[in-house]
């Protein structure tokens, strides 16, 4: 007799869990900075594509449709952040600037437990982004990353930036 299984295997890749773990590493590297979802989505893209930001070799392969990949990440990052807030690993902050996030004390301990090669590379990439932001100035660095995304969007749509 064969029994049908109702057990669904969890999706780990391209999931809110994976995006949430990347956000934890990003926020820890940039600590004590806080970021909104738009900035976290931007940094989430570049943490796995550091080569696109003039950094070390990217963790993920380069794709022709970079802008498309970036825009798909926004929802995953939003869901991942919500998961990490519910898990008390990230803290949501509401102030006059809107809603932003920062890591809680438990985040560093969680990162220490993630020691596989991929996670070590993610941690190194997060630290590279944070170091580059300190060297260039955070606002200038974030603006240059956004400029790259806008440039790719114009290339895909055929629009000419003003």
């Amino acid at each position: 007799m064969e029994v049908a299984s109702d057990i669904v295997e969890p999706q780990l890749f391209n999931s809110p869990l994976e995006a949430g773990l990347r956000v934890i590493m990003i926020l820890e590297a940039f600590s004590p900075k806080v970021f909104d979802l738009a900035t976290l989505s931007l940094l989430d893209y570049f943490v796995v594509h550091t080569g696109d930001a003039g950094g070390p070799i990217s963790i993920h392969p380069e794709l022709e449709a970079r802008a498309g990949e970036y825009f798909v990440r926004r929802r995953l990052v939003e869901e991942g952040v919500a998961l990490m807030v519910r898990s008390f690993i990230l803290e949501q902050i509401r102030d006059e600037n809107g809603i932003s996030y920062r890591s809680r004390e438990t985040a560093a301990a969680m990162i220490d437990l993630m020691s596989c090669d991929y996670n070590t590379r993610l941690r190194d990439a997060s630290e590279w982004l944070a170091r580059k932001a300190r060297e260039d100035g955070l606002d200038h660095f974030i603006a240059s990353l956004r400029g790259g995304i806008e440039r790719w969007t114009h290339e895909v749509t055929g629009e000419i930036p003003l």
Side-chain angles (χ1 to χ4, degrees):
M1 173 188 261
E2 197 171 308
V3 177
S5 173
D6 290 337
I7 299 173
V8 177
E9 292 294 321
Q11 178 185 352
L12 296 177
F13 299 107
N14 292 322
S15 69
L17 176 61
E18 181 184 23
L21 293 173
R22 284 193 306 263
V23 166
I24 290 169
M25 289 191 186
I26 291 165
L27 286 170
E28 271 298 296
F30 280 86
S31 184
K33 299 288 185 199
V34 299
F35 295 120
D36 61 12
L37 281 172
T39 304
L40 286 172
S41 297
L42 183 73
L43 292 170
D44 179 67
Y45 173 85
F46 283 103
V47 77
V48 294
H49 293 291
T50 49
D52 289 348
I57 296 172
S58 298
I59 297 170
H60 289 185
E62 294 182 15
L63 300 173
E64 292 287 326
R66 287 178 171 90
E69 180 184 355
Y70 167 72
F71 291 112
V72 168
R73 285 177 179 274
R74 171 64 189 242
R75 183 163 183 250
L76 269 179
V77 169
E78 186 173 357
E79 291 173 2
V81 165
L83 176 64
M84 296 301 137
V85 168
R86 286 191 309 270
S87 302
F88 299 101
I89 298 167
L90 296 180
E91 179 180 6
Q92 185 181 70
I93 300 163
R94 294 173 186 259
D95 60 19
E96 66 278 354
N97 298 317
I99 299 172
S100 55
Y101 301 89
R102 71 173 160 220
S103 59
R104 292 181 180 262
E105 292 176 10
T106 54
M110 186 171 183
I111 289 172
D112 287 343
L113 296 173
M114 299 186 299
S115 60
C116 72
D117 289 341
Y118 179 80
N119 289 332
T120 300
R121 291 181 67 198
L122 273 177
R123 186 177 322 143
D124 292 346
S126 297
E127 290 170 0
W128 179 84
L129 287 171
R131 190 170 46 255
K132 183 75 171 145
R134 283 190 302 275
E135 290 169 2
D136 294 358
L138 180 61
D139 292 339
H140 175 63
F141 181 67
I142 296 295
S144 70
L145 295 180
R146 283 196 176 108
I149 297 291
E150 290 170 7
R151 198 169 42 256
W152 300 327
T153 302
H154 294 302
E155 288 172 8
V156 169
T157 62
E159 295 176 11
I160 299 172
L162 299 176

